Amino acid sequence: MSEEPVILFEKVNKWFGDFHVLRDIDLSVAKGERIVICGPSGSGKSTMIRCINRLEENQQGRIVVQGIELTDDLKNIDSIRSEVGMVFQSFNLFPHMTVLDNLVIGQHLVRRLPKAEAEEIAMTYLERVKIADQAEKFPGQLSGGQQQRVAIARSLCMKPKIMLFDEVTSALDPEMVKEVLDVMVDLANEGMTMLVVTHEMGFARTVADRVIFMDEGQIIEENTPDAFFDNPASERAQNFIGQVLHHL
Amino acid sequence: MEPILKPFIEQKAPPQQSTGLVAWLRENFFSSWFNTLVTIILLWLIYQVGGFIINWAFINANWVGDSAKSCPNVDGACWAFVTERWRLFVYGLYPKELYWRVNVFYGLGLLTIIAFVFSFGAYTKKFRLTMFIGFPIAAYIFLVGGVFDLQHISPESFGGLLLTVVIATVGIFGSIPLGLILALGRTSDLKVISKVCTYFIEFWRGVPHIAVIVMFVALLPIFIPDGNKIDIVVRAFIAFAAFNSAYMAEVFRGGLQSIPAGQFEASKAIGLSYWKMMGYIILPQAIRNSVPALVNTCISIFKETTIVLLIGFSDFLGIIQLSLEDPKWLGPPHIFSSAYVFAALIYFALAYGMSKYSLRLENRSNVDQH
């Protein structure tokens, strides 16, 4: 890799009280790389990606995003958050605003675009996630899949360089998973740097450059998706894949 | 194969009176012998009490007059007392020739209520904000005066409904912003601010209001040099706003706690700063969730204004009591009861209005979010 990594973790450790959630995490993500992170629940996957935009703080080690080291400095945090988009399991749309306003507010308040321009950009992204006809509705009036697509559009409006997806299909009914994954595949094909916490093996195989397997706060295994799913090296990964596949 | 034909089900006549008044009555009031008994007893009670009220308040009532002698019928209300004294009850000791200023105040108050009750499309928010900030300022200018060639009237001469409304307004309009700040402080990540706000809130909540009022009015001059120069009414106002802000703070804190963590995370993830996150995302939802408790607190602030009786002010209730001591109106106890029934009716009408308003707000916010 000639280019500097866009995300760099060095010996990152984190505790929730006595619970050691992240143990000596080392990770380097190149520009345009698509990474799928999987592992049993409670293994620290979500916590790890939430460290990237400082929704969680690490207590030891170093995290550098887009060449900026994460510290308590609020300015650094703000500038990193404007470069990193995030989509959550529970959508987290703002329920008191219309879909359109959900997309406009960040652009207007953070990127300081005039309302009209922000609305125009918002509409192009809503069209991209095929939901432009719902722009004037409130989030509560949409299905889960639609809400999640709005949430992705809301993130993309901020023109992020990196997108984080935290189990974005886990709360969805099965028939809605595809419409959300389709949007993510499109995004991947455009060359967005993506870190995706998911158990969707099909998605991982088609899109990911690399799969990271975590357990008990550690990165146990890193490999290409095909190699990882067909031939997991560690026993823990074998068990995990066995369980996930069995469940499917 | 022979198709299987089901025989037609024979048609029946429609059930009798499944809707309509008779069926409704039967279902709700006479569905069993016990229900029927309860209904009859209640009807009898309503007849007795209602009859008494109509007789007392209307048929046997005396409506006009200028002294206790005008109310000879002890089985009826003595509304004459109210009709003769209503100006005093409504305007207190405000100079007669300046009643228009009080009327402007009442009018603006009404306008503020209208701003918050009705919707005005795109202007709703601006209208409400203007009234929320403008009303207290305009109220001060018109009532106290001293500016724009308006003659200065000391708040000490306020009384009656005017004083009650002014104290309630100070209490409500003062404690809402203060309470909001305290609630934000208490939930702050900065330990010092959080502790200070917590102790402030707990202090005011833990001390009896009577003690606070007396302390402010009687003891403040001892602790603060020149404390005597602060108007006694103003001191009562400060005390009132202070302890009510503690209750408001807890109301808003409840609202803040009802907002899921995901809303904070999503706001941060799109890069909103703390104040923008609070102002645009969290507080609009939190305040909406606080409305029932907020109105509840407003109602209790309104009713608690009578506490100023203890420090010698004549609010609405106080001025009615004072008037009852007027020798002209000394007489049989039905004058007393009429006066207190009148006071209760006015307090009830205002408090019930607030409660209705809160129900409306709740229904409206349910519509918005689903």
Side-chain angles (χ1 to χ4, degrees):
Chain A
M1 270 184 277
S2 58
E3 260 188 284
E4 211 178 293
V6 288
I7 300 172
L8 184 71
F9 277 60
E10 277 179 3
K11 289 259 172 285
V12 170
N13 276 284
K14 177 171 177 61
W15 289 262
F16 284 134
D18 288 336
F19 181 57
H20 201 166
V21 252
L22 296 179
R23 299 167 192 251
D24 289 336
I25 301 284
D26 283 312
L27 176 72
S28 159
V29 182
K31 188 165 184 288
E33 215 181 351
R34 282 139 350 211
I35 295 179
V36 162
I37 302 154
C38 60
S41 74
S43 58
K45 311 166 297 237
S46 293
T47 310
M48 183 174 86
I49 68 165
R50 287 157 62 89
C51 282
I52 297 170
N53 63 352
R54 200 72 166 182
L55 288 184
E56 302 287 356
E57 265 174 61
N58 57 310
Q59 283 128 356
Q60 276 179 12
R62 215 162 77 93
I63 301 174
V64 183
V65 181
Q66 296 273 353
I68 304 169
E69 181 164 354
L70 284 179
T71 57
D72 283 333
D73 187 348
L74 284 175
K75 269 203 183 127
N76 277 355
I77 296 173
D78 283 348
S79 59
I80 282 162
R81 282 179 180 159
S82 66
E83 308 262 291
V84 180
M86 186 166 199
V87 186
F88 302 86
Q89 178 176 354
S90 47
F91 328 135
N92 297 344
L93 294 176
F94 306 133
H96 60 303
M97 295 178 180
T98 62
V99 164
L100 186 65
D101 286 341
N102 263 276
L103 270 68
V104 165
I105 185 134
Q107 302 184 65
H108 185 55
L109 294 179
V110 180
R111 298 183 60 217
R112 298 184 185 286
L113 296 181
K115 276 238 164 93
E117 196 184 336
E119 277 177 15
E120 214 170 288
I121 294 171
M123 286 312 291
T124 58
Y125 279 103
L126 283 178
E127 263 155 42
R128 251 185 73 173
V129 299
K130 302 187 181 67
I131 210 159
D133 51 332
Q134 316 277 357
E136 294 305 325
K137 286 193 181 168
F138 284 93
Q141 297 168 305
L142 305 184
S143 73
Q146 290 173 321
Q147 290 195 46
Q148 196 58 293
R149 283 185 281 149
V150 173
I152 294 174
R154 177 174 68 180
S155 259
L156 292 177
C157 277
M158 304 303 289
K159 313 262 177 181
K161 307 262 174 21
I162 300 165
M163 283 290 287
L164 310 173
F165 293 87
D166 189 1
E167 307 216 28
V168 292
T169 55
S170 309
L172 296 177
D173 290 333
E175 74 269 24
M176 290 170 185
V177 170
K178 189 174 173 296
E179 63 187 55
V180 172
L181 290 181
D182 284 348
V183 171
M184 290 164 69
V185 171
D186 280 351
L187 198 58
N189 291 337
E190 284 164 25
M192 174 69 78
T193 310
M194 292 166 69
L195 277 84
V196 185
V197 173
T198 186
H199 295 159
E200 297 290 338
M201 298 303 160
F203 175 81
R205 277 185 197 264
T206 36
V207 176
D209 298 309
R210 191 159 35 131
V211 174
I212 289 175
F213 175 74
M214 288 181 73
D215 193 16
E216 295 180 349
Q218 284 171 302
I219 294 180
I220 308 284
E221 217 174 312
E222 283 187 66
N223 216 329
T224 60
D226 287 339
F228 174 76
F229 290 118
D230 298 337
N231 269 317
S234 65
E235 201 184 318
R236 281 192 259 182
Q238 282 165 16
N239 284 339
F240 174 73
I241 291 170
Q243 277 166 1
V244 172
L245 289 181
H246 182 72
H247 199 70
L248 295 173
Chain B
M1 248 176 81
E2 285 276 305
I4 302 167
L5 285 178
K6 287 185 182 158
F8 284 112
I9 298 169
E10 207 180 310
Q11 282 195 2
K12 288 179 189 160
Q16 274 185 332
Q17 299 279 7
S18 66
T19 56
L21 182 66
V22 175
W24 182 81
L25 280 176
R26 190 186 299 153
E27 202 174 296
N28 289 293
F29 295 102
F30 302 101
S31 58
S32 67
W33 67 267
F34 179 71
N35 251 349
T36 309
L37 188 70
V38 172
T39 304
I40 290 170
I41 292 175
L42 285 177
L43 278 176
W44 180 78
L45 274 175
I46 290 169
Y47 173 74
Q48 292 293 324
V49 174
F52 172 76
I53 290 176
I54 289 170
N55 273 326
W56 185 81
F58 298 102
I59 296 173
N60 296 336
N62 300 285
W63 294 87
V64 277
D66 55 4
S67 73
K69 290 194 188 72
S70 342
C71 294
N73 192 346
V74 290
D75 292 327
C78 179
W79 299 135
F81 174 70
V82 175
T83 50
E84 197 230 13
R85 291 295 171 101
W86 72 270
R87 274 184 201 83
L88 185 66
F89 298 165
V90 171
Y91 297 99
L93 303 173
Y94 216 79
K96 268 206 178 67
E97 64 281 8
L98 297 176
Y99 275 2
W100 67 271
R101 277 163 60 174
V102 181
N103 287 335
V104 170
F105 165 77
Y106 283 135
L108 285 172
L110 211 60
L111 197 64
T112 310
I113 292 169
I114 288 170
F116 280 88
V117 171
F118 298 102
S119 178
F120 297 89
Y123 299 102
T124 309
K125 265 186 194 162
K126 271 182 199 153
F127 189 21
R128 287 182 185 170
L129 196 66
T130 313
M131 291 318 289
F132 191 84
I133 297 169
F135 174 60
I137 298 170
Y140 179 84
I141 292 172
F142 278 103
L143 288 182
V144 181
V147 281
F148 305 127
D149 283 344
L150 288 172
Q151 187 193 333
H152 176 80
I153 305 290
S154 162
E156 310 226 8
S157 65
F158 292 2
L161 191 62
L162 176 64
L163 184 65
T164 296
V165 173
V166 166
I167 298 175
T169 309
V170 170
I172 290 168
F173 282 69
S175 67
I176 286 178
L178 251 168
L180 199 55
I181 293 167
L182 284 172
L184 287 176
R186 187 166 186 175
T187 52
S188 162
D189 287 336
L190 298 169
K191 281 280 173 297
V192 185
I193 293 180
S194 158
K195 279 272 181 280
V196 169
C197 291
T198 306
Y199 287 131
F200 184 87
I201 292 167
E202 294 304 335
F203 174 76
W204 292 114
R205 288 209 306 165
V207 180
H209 298 172
I210 295 174
V212 176
I213 291 268
V214 172
M215 187 183 83
F216 261 81
V217 172
L219 302 182
L220 201 68
I222 301 172
F223 293 117
I224 302 176
D226 290 340
N228 263 326
K229 286 188 186 153
I230 306 173
D231 204 275
I232 196 162
V233 186
V234 175
R235 277 182 249 158
F237 286 171
I238 294 171
F240 219 72
F243 60 65
N244 282 313
S245 68
Y247 289 92
M248 282 294 182
E250 290 302 277
V251 166
F252 287 125
R253 192 165 69 97
L256 284 172
Q257 277 175 341
S258 71
I259 306 302
Q263 293 290 310
F264 291 85
E265 289 173 357
S267 314
K268 287 178 190 164
I270 61 170
L272 295 182
S273 65
Y274 174 82
W275 290 110
K276 284 176 179 164
M277 168 175 84
M278 282 299 171
Y280 290 90
I281 310 296
I282 306 301
L283 285 181
Q285 298 182 63
I287 291 174
R288 190 172 278 185
N289 292 351
S290 316
V291 161
L294 190 94
V295 174
N296 192 30
T297 309
C298 288
I299 292 174
S300 80
I301 290 177
F302 169 67
K303 289 192 302 179
E304 252 187 30
T305 52
T306 50
I307 206 176
V308 296
L309 269 173
L310 282 162
I311 46 172
F313 291 143
S314 305
D315 71 339
F316 186 59
L317 191 62
I319 215 150
I320 289 178
Q321 283 185 342
L322 265 185
S323 304
L324 283 169
E325 285 164 22
D326 185 336
K328 263 196 343 182
W329 287 99
L330 283 179
H334 71 294
I335 300 177
F336 258 69
S337 20
S338 308
Y340 283 109
V341 165
F342 171 70
L345 280 177
I346 298 294
Y347 279 107
F348 175 78
L350 291 170
Y352 186 69
M354 286 193 245
S355 150
K356 270 280 176 224
Y357 171 61
S358 106
L359 277 179
R360 253 179 69 111
L361 273 187
E362 276 171 64
N363 293 337
R364 197 159 52 202
S365 53
N366 285 342
V367 172
D368 272 9
Q369 301 203 5
H370 294 288

